[in-house]
């Protein structure tokens, strides 16, 4: 039984770490780019014309990957998270041992953040596919990405879900860096008047977030000192 748990956790760890890459790889055939000639090709594979028989094969493989790998893994993790909560209340930790890869990284009261992280990665990848399919320009896509990063950053600061404090600090720094990179990418695009307003809102959102991150903890510490006196 112990060897079964070890193998399950090893496979689960690999799937968990590479979940975002698996989702992106599965969704690549759905991302098409229109050319001035009127033809559209797969962004990742420019030689594949969207709508052709070759593209249909790619789409079938993409759907199979989502149905066979992505969806079952997310469903198993969600079910395990629900059973973990019930098992802890009953003093049964068998689910925790079987799915140690899903719960060992988080604090006891934030055990569900494994599923939250998977859902965030899946939603960001699906949003990229949907916005590309609808012909949305790059700037609104960057806005959605910035909003997702801000939401994740607020959750990290508010909950500190990682078991190690250093992991929380590293994740916060990486999220801030990614957020700044996203805003800089939007600023480097040559936008029209409408997109320029969007970029301005993105910059304001970023500065407000950075100000909250930097000033908020200091203000909270000062408030705590005043209340404890």
């Amino acid at each position: 039984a112990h060897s079964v748990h070890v193998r399950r956790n090893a496979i689960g760890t690999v799937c968990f770490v590479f979940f975002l890459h698996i989702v992106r790889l599965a969704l690549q055939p759905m991302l098409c780019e229109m050319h001035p000639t009127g033809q559209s090709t797969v962004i990742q594979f420019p030689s594949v014309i969207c709508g052709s028989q070759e593209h249909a094969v790619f789409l079938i493989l993409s759907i199979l990957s989502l149905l066979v790998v992505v969806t079952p893994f997310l469903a198993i993790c969600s079910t395990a998270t629900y059973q973990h909560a019930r098992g802890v209340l009953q003093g049964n930790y068998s689910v925790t041992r079987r799915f140690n890869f899903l719960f060992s990284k988080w604090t006891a009261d934030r055990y569900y953040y494994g599923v939250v992280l998977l859902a965030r990665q899946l939603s960001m990848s699906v949003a990229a596919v949907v916005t590309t399919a609808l012909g949305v320009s790059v700037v609104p896509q960057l806005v959605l990405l910035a909003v997702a990063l801000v939401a994740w950053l607020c959750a990290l600061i508010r909950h500190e879900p990682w078991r190690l404090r250093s992991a929380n600090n590293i994740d916060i720094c990486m999220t801030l860096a990614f957020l700044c990179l996203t805003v800089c990418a939007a600023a480097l695009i040559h936008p029209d008047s409408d997109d320029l307003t969007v970029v301005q809102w993105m910059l304001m959102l970023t500065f407000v977030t950075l100000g909250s991150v930097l000033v908020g903890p200091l203000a909270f510490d000062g408030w705590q000192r005043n209340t404890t006196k």
Side-chain angles (χ1 to χ4, degrees):
H2 177 71
S3 60
V4 173
H5 292 339
V6 171
R7 286 196 297 270
R8 181 187 292 113
N9 280 287
I11 296 172
T13 300
V14 172
C15 292
F16 190 90
V17 171
F18 294 100
F19 182 77
L20 179 59
H21 302 284
I22 295 172
V23 172
R24 286 182 175 177
L25 185 62
L27 295 177
Q28 285 298 332
M30 301 180 185
L31 295 173
C32 293
E33 182 181 23
M34 182 65 67
H35 297 281
T37 58
Q39 280 188 335
S40 59
T41 59
V42 180
I43 296 176
Q44 192 68 20
F45 308 101
S47 61
V48 179
I49 300 175
C50 294
S52 63
Q53 292 183 349
E54 188 178 7
H55 184 228
V57 174
F58 274 88
L59 287 177
I60 292 174
L61 294 176
S62 173
I63 294 172
L64 286 176
S65 299
L66 293 174
L67 293 177
V68 175
V69 180
V70 176
T71 302
F73 183 70
L74 188 59
I76 290 171
C77 290
S78 301
T79 303
T81 301
Y82 174 74
Q83 292 178 346
H84 168 80
R86 294 186 60 184
V88 169
L89 292 176
Q90 299 171 359
N92 183 3
Y93 295 93
S94 59
V95 175
T96 307
R97 290 191 295 269
R98 292 203 304 269
F99 296 92
N100 187 56
F101 73 92
L102 189 61
F103 306 112
S104 61
K105 307 174 185 64
W106 317 103
T107 57
D109 55 337
R110 307 298 178 193
Y111 62 91
Y112 51 85
Y113 257 79
V115 173
V116 172
L117 182 59
L118 293 175
R120 187 201 72 162
Q121 295 172 337
L122 179 62
S123 61
M124 291 175 64
S125 299
V126 172
V129 172
V130 173
T131 52
T132 303
L134 295 176
V136 179
S137 62
V138 177
V139 172
Q141 294 183 30
L142 293 175
V143 171
L144 290 176
L145 179 58
V147 170
L149 291 172
V150 168
W152 179 252
L153 182 62
C154 293
L156 287 174
I157 297 171
R158 177 66 178 84
H159 294 155
E160 295 187 350
W162 294 95
R163 187 179 295 273
L164 298 177
R165 174 167 294 183
S166 58
N168 285 300
N169 295 334
I170 292 173
D171 200 351
I172 289 173
C173 292
M174 291 181 63
T175 304
L176 281 172
F178 197 14
L179 180 60
C180 292
L181 183 62
T182 302
V183 174
C184 291
L188 292 174
I189 296 173
H190 300 286
D192 54 29
S193 58
D194 294 333
D195 283 348
L196 182 59
T197 303
V198 174
V199 173
Q200 291 171 348
W201 276 102
M202 285 184 65
L203 290 171
M204 186 181 71
L205 176 65
T206 303
F207 287 133
V208 169
T209 303
L210 292 176
S212 302
V213 171
L214 297 175
V215 179
L218 297 177
F220 182 72
D221 290 341
W223 175 78
Q224 277 191 324
R225 293 193 194 97
N226 292 330
T227 55
T228 54
K229 288 182 179 180

